[in-house]
């Protein structure tokens, strides 16, 4: 059997390691992450690589950055169960899970014929 070679970026390695620490509760909501320099030393990589990985985690909603203070693990967002059967409404799902929400109906389309007359 041939050995497959995967090219995994250094950013992905760091991102996955930090994400795993969060999922395993080694890093809990509110915890401060080690500095970019400390993580760069730990992984043996350049600080810019660490920074890029942490920015990706911020974009994923896992970390919060405060300039001059550090990066922190964000509170976990509620997981919304996806049920595509149509048996339960979105509103019912939110109520069951105790999630506050706002629902708006937005529609845009072209009015035709007699419908256009209503809007003149």
């Amino acid at each position: 059997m041939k050995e497959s070679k995967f090219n995994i970026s250094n950013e992905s390695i760091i991102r996955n390691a930090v994400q795993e620490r969060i999922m395993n509760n080694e890093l809990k909501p509110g915890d401060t992450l080690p500095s970019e320099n400390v993580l760069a030393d730990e992984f043996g990589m350049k600080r810019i690589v660490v920074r890029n990985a942490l920015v990706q985690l911020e974009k994923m909603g896992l970390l919060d950055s405060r300039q001059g203070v550090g990066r922190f693990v964000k509170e976990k967002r509620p997981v919304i169960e996806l049920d595509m059967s149509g048996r339960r409404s979105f509103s019912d799902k939110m109520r069951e899970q105790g999630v506050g929400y706002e629902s708006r109906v937005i529609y845009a389309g072209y009015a035709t014929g007699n419908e256009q007359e209503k809007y003149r």
Side-chain angles (χ1 to χ4, degrees):
M1 184 170 164
K2 271 189 175 180
E3 185 178 319
S4 64
K5 293 183 180 184
F6 294 99
N7 289 327
I8 300 174
S9 72
N10 288 338
E11 290 174 12
S12 293
I13 291 169
I14 295 168
R15 186 184 67 237
N16 291 339
V18 172
Q19 191 173 3
E20 194 170 299
R21 291 175 189 175
I22 293 169
M23 292 185 334
N24 291 336
N25 286 321
E26 293 171 41
L27 289 169
K28 296 179 175 71
D31 284 355
T32 305
L33 256 66
S35 70
E36 291 174 2
N37 288 327
V38 168
L39 289 171
D41 289 344
E42 178 183 335
F43 289 99
M45 296 181 194
K46 294 180 180 179
R47 190 171 65 90
I48 188 67
V49 174
V50 172
R51 176 181 294 193
N52 291 339
L54 297 178
V55 166
Q56 289 173 10
L57 289 167
E58 287 175 27
K59 289 178 181 178
M60 293 168 63
L62 295 174
L63 300 179
D64 187 28
S65 178
R66 293 184 221 144
Q67 190 172 2
V69 180
R71 285 190 172 89
F72 302 87
V73 178
K74 277 186 157 182
E75 291 291 327
K76 293 181 181 170
R77 295 183 190 171
V79 176
I80 300 169
E81 183 183 322
L82 182 61
D83 178 3
M84 302 287 285
S85 69
R87 288 177 269 172
R88 291 176 28 219
S89 72
F90 177 80
S91 299
D92 289 341
K93 291 179 209 175
M94 297 301 98
R95 267 192 295 278
E96 288 172 10
Q97 295 183 39
V99 176
Y101 71 96
E102 180 179 342
S103 181
R104 295 181 189 182
V105 177
I106 301 172
Y107 175 78
Y110 291 103
T112 58
N114 295 336
E115 293 174 331
Q116 288 181 357
E117 295 300 319
K118 290 190 260 183
Y119 301 109
R120 289 186 185 186

